[in-house]
Amino acid sequence: MTTNDIEVFGHSSIKIKAGNKNIYIDPYEIKTVPKDADFILITHDHYDHFAPEDIEKVANPGTVMVVPEKMDTKAQIVAGLLREIVTVEPRVYRELYGIEFETVPSYNALKPFHPRSAQWVGYILRIDGKRIYIAGDTDATKEAKAVKCDIALVPIGGTYTMDVRKAAELVNLIRPEVAIPIHYGSIVGKPSDGEAFAELVEPPVKVELKIRF
């Protein structure tokens, strides 16, 4: 796969094509009703990441949704739209109907918005030999700093997550081939944060700005 197979609709709403499978992560403010999701991965239960009205737009009776274990009860609101809901904890590896992924703890180190005790997650997808890290709403934690990946989608908007500078520091440490900034330009952060992030990321890491304003 290449980064051409990754689409960021805005904020942290992502679609990844993995061969003939469509994987959505935290679908939010989806403008169309494609009903084409094979998988939906949810990082945590905040409204801009777990949005039932947007899940309905992409889900179909064959869709499998993955959520953090502590979200299981809340996730049942959309169970009727899906084939199955699978729960995960941080630090697990799963093979699930033809896809492989790992979960990474996703939390704030000092801020109160995403407590470590909630056991929310980021994901590392394994697709065609590439490791794609979707960080979720996180700070530059020790777990994030230990990630090995080829493509990293990291939040940069600040307030609830890393800001531009901290996100760039993380990317410069873990050194993926490509970094894609997310979680900026609408609810938090400015549209120009993407360019500011790109300026701080050091070669040979390439930055691709996927969100269009």
Side-chain angles (χ1 to χ4, degrees):
M1 70 159 293
T2 71
T3 55
N4 291 333
D5 298 312
I6 300 174
E7 185 174 1
V8 183
F9 301 107
H11 197 55
S12 294
S13 180
I14 300 161
K15 179 182 180 181
I16 299 176
K17 291 189 69 66
N20 63 350
K21 299 184 186 302
N22 295 316
I23 305 169
Y24 286 82
I25 302 94
D26 293 350
Y28 178 63
E29 294 190 341
I30 301 295
K31 305 301 184 188
T32 60
V33 187
K35 297 281 189 179
D36 64 346
D38 295 286
F39 299 92
I40 300 171
L41 309 184
I42 302 296
T43 61
H44 65 292
D45 70 1
H46 289 169
Y47 76 93
D48 51 334
H49 297 263
F50 177 67
E53 64 275 17
D54 292 292
I55 289 170
E56 185 172 6
K57 292 176 184 177
V58 302
N60 61 69
T63 303
V64 176
M65 188 170 78
V66 181
V67 302
E69 186 173 283
K70 291 190 175 182
M71 272 189 65
D72 187 29
T73 298
K74 187 170 185 176
Q76 296 307 311
I77 192 173
V78 296
L81 304 171
L82 308 162
R83 172 181 176 179
E84 183 180 355
I85 296 175
V86 176
T87 62
V88 292
E89 297 177 339
R91 300 188 185 88
V92 299
Y93 165 81
R94 297 294 297 269
E95 294 183 50
L96 190 65
Y97 301 115
I99 66 166
E100 296 180 76
F101 63 86
E102 305 163 33
T103 59
V104 181
S106 183
Y107 62 93
N108 293 138
L110 298 174
K111 305 168 186 176
F113 308 110
H114 305 91
R116 187 172 186 173
S117 60
Q119 294 191 298
W120 292 328
V121 299
Y123 295 92
I124 301 174
L125 289 163
R126 301 183 183 184
I127 303 173
D128 295 337
K130 298 288 188 181
R131 293 168 59 85
I132 301 96
Y133 176 42
I134 302 100
D137 278 13
T138 190
D139 287 332
T141 63
K142 63 180 182 180
E143 293 89 352
K145 292 175 181 178
V147 163
K148 305 297 183 187
C149 65
D150 301 289
I151 302 167
L153 291 97
V154 295
I156 69 168
T159 306
Y160 306 108
T161 70
M162 296 177 279
D163 61 13
V164 167
R165 186 169 298 278
K166 289 294 185 182
E169 289 174 359
L170 173 65
V171 165
N172 290 336
L173 176 66
I174 66 175
R175 296 172 67 82
E177 294 172 8
V178 180
I180 299 171
I182 59 174
H183 205 279
Y184 73 99
S186 54
I187 295 172
V188 292
K190 306 182 296 295
S192 61
D193 285 347
E195 287 82 4
F197 170 77
E199 290 178 4
L200 293 172
V201 171
E202 300 168 355
V205 180
K206 299 178 181 177
V207 175
E208 292 190 16
L209 305 182
K210 292 282 188 178
I211 300 177
R212 298 291 174 245
F213 298 101

